[in-house]
Amino acid sequence: AQSVTQPDIHITVSEGASLELRCNYSYGATPYLFWYVQSPGQGLQLLLKYFSGDTLVQGIKGFEAEFKRSQSSFNLRKPSVHWSDAAEYFCAVGSNDYKLSFGAGTTVTVRA
Amino acid sequence: DGGITQSPKYLFRKEGQNVTLSCEQNLNHDAMYWYRQDPGQGLRLIYYSQIVNDFQKGDIAEGYSVSREKKESFPLTVTSAQKNPTAFYLCASSIRVDYNSPLHFGNGTRLTVT
């Protein structure tokens, strides 16, 4: 079975600074990888996904993620954070039977 | 606007009572899902449905039941058999069960059982 680890429970970043959220996955085959964002009290919104091809994927809201097979990682980045990026971020990995496993999430706080 | 509506936003129940959470979508999606979210944990799949009158258990189906009598509706019943029902419940839908069909989420129902 697949699993996801997000090592950072909480990250605080200054507005305008860069952000990187870590995600490590465990899955025997080629993974389907996703990043979702959740604002307080809301559902999740898909930021980006990776299935195959170019290992650097672009998403919405200026986010990008890089798939590194050798490190089993799919880290999310944003060059310059805005106050509206304060939220909880979830990495997820999908298996061949279309079941998603989510990480525990990383909460991002943006300070002025 | 198309979307997923979960109601109510907050729900309080006494232990031993069954409770039903509503989920309605007007996206014309075939697939619908229920997830449970607990603090410090990722989402866990309770049940999903690929099509009307069909549904499958997810990873934590014990103590829950669902029905899918209409395409747009996928209610979740939390029964008294669920040992730890207090949680945030999220409903989602997708065009089909396929990674090329992204999940669309509702805003969730926070259930508190005392």
Side-chain angles (χ1 to χ4, degrees), chain B residues 87-104:
Chain B
F88 189 53
Y89 290 89
L90 285 163
C91 179
S93 72
S94 62
I95 296 173
R96 54 189 171 273
V97 176
D98 179 324
Y99 290 134
N100 285 308
S101 304
L103 293 174
H104 294 256

Side-chain angles (χ1 to χ4, degrees), chain A residues 1-52:
Chain A
Q2 71 272 30
S3 66
V4 177
T5 301
Q6 293 181 246
D8 304 305
I9 296 172
H10 190 202
I11 286 180
T12 299
V13 60
S14 297
E15 193 167 15
S18 63
L19 174 67
E20 180 165 14
L21 304 181
R22 295 183 290 163
C23 172
N24 294 100
Y25 69 89
S26 172
Y27 186 57
T30 302
Y32 300 87
L33 294 162
F34 306 81
W35 274 101
Y36 283 85
V37 61
Q38 184 181 31
S39 297
Q42 307 262 321
L44 279 68
Q45 181 184 22
L46 179 67
L47 283 175
L48 46 77
K49 62 187 178 187
Y50 172 79
F51 295 169
S52 64

